[in-house]
Amino acid sequence: MNNNIKLLMLVFIALFSSCSGGDDENSNANTNEGFLKIGNQSVELSQGYLENYGVRGNAYNIDFSLKSKSISGTENGAVVYFELFSSLQNNLAKGDYTFGGYSEATVYTFTKWGQSLLGEKINAEKGGMSVTNGVSIRPVSGTFKVIENGQTYKVSFTGKGTASYYTDGKITSSQNDVSFSMQYQGDVKRSEAKNFTAKKAISAERSEKDHGVIFN
């Protein structure tokens, strides 16, 4: 009798552990959360990406991107892309980042190459992000905050940008000084990148990378 009771107890413990483990996995899968808000529209963000372009000047050129669960469907999706300069080699250093230039490569700045999109059927191919029906905005001022930069990242942005509004893939209007904001807390997928365009031999153009976002 005692052996039967012990056996039942072991089965119960095994089943409880299995359920608990499954709950933990589901919990971890749903820990990423955030949003992109442009004007009065807001879409949830579900995954972060960190792309390291290495040293530029006295800083490290690191791109930070976010996306919603779906970006190619007919429902509203969202993509966020910021190019930043950090004091850390493999991470965005904690602190406040303000608007700056790519050529200057000043620590704690973000550049004009940032772009955020909200709307239907977002194309996120490298070097050519676009939205079929919605809005694309490039930052011109504001503050990008890095609050946590370990296994979990916590970031936010509040500022203004130049917005372009699209209908059926064509720009219908543009507007300056449009307010937009972003928040995200969760994990980030990391990648290394070394994709730069060549400097022209008879040109004063500076060598610049092929700016864009990569979703691995």
Side-chain angles (χ1 to χ4, degrees):
M1 184 71 177
N2 288 338
N3 289 335
N4 289 337
I5 293 174
K6 289 179 181 179
L7 181 60
L8 287 173
M9 289 293 291
L10 288 172
V11 171
F12 176 78
I13 291 171
L15 288 172
F16 180 82
S17 299
S18 175
C19 293
S20 177
D23 291 342
D24 288 342
E25 288 179 6
N26 292 334
S27 176
N28 290 336
N30 296 319
T31 54
N32 297 348
E33 58 183 11
F35 66 83
L36 169 65
K37 183 177 182 181
I38 303 177
N40 60 0
Q41 290 186 295
S42 181
V43 171
E44 293 182 358
L45 299 168
S46 63
Q47 183 60 60
Y49 302 82
L50 208 64
E51 191 176 5
N52 189 349
Y53 277 87
V55 176
R56 181 169 178 84
N58 295 317
Y60 295 93
N61 186 192
I62 296 178
D63 293 358
F64 187 83
S65 307
L66 299 161
K67 75 177 185 69
S68 58
K69 186 175 181 180
S70 173
I71 61 174
S72 60
T74 54
E75 73 279 8
N76 277 346
V79 165
V80 175
Y81 166 61
F82 276 88
E83 177 186 51
L84 306 106
F85 289 103
S86 172
S87 61
L88 299 180
Q89 183 174 1
N90 297 310
N91 267 329
L92 290 175
K94 294 180 183 178
D96 294 352
Y97 294 71
T98 55
F99 187 80
Y102 177 81
S103 298
E104 293 80 2
T106 304
V107 171
Y108 289 108
T109 60
F110 61 87
T111 76
K112 67 179 182 180
W113 298 104
Q115 184 180 9
S116 295
L117 302 97
L118 190 157
E120 300 174 0
K121 296 182 179 177
I122 295 174
N123 172 15
E125 290 184 8
K126 190 171 182 65
M129 290 198 296
S130 62
V131 59
T132 300
N133 295 300
V135 57
S136 170
I137 191 166
R138 294 184 178 275
V140 297
S141 65
T143 303
F144 186 105
K145 291 180 176 287
V146 179
I147 302 160
E148 297 178 14
N149 64 351
Q151 287 187 331
T152 297
Y153 255 73
K154 186 176 182 181
V155 300
S156 67
F157 174 80
T158 303
K160 294 185 176 182
T162 300
S164 298
Y165 297 88
Y166 289 79
T167 300
D168 295 330
K170 297 180 180 179
I171 296 179
T172 56
S173 64
S174 296
Q175 185 178 352
N176 296 324
D177 295 325
V178 175
S179 297
F180 74 109
S181 60
M182 169 275 297
Q183 287 185 16
Y184 176 77
Q185 183 169 2
D187 67 1
V188 294
K189 296 182 178 180
R190 300 170 182 267
S191 62
E192 302 292 325
K194 297 180 181 179
N195 188 16
F196 286 79
T197 59
K199 184 177 180 180
K200 296 179 181 178
I202 54 174
S203 171
E205 284 186 14
R206 294 180 179 273
S207 176
E208 294 185 350
K209 73 184 187 188
D210 182 13
H211 296 81
V213 58
I214 291 181
F215 294 138
N216 295 323

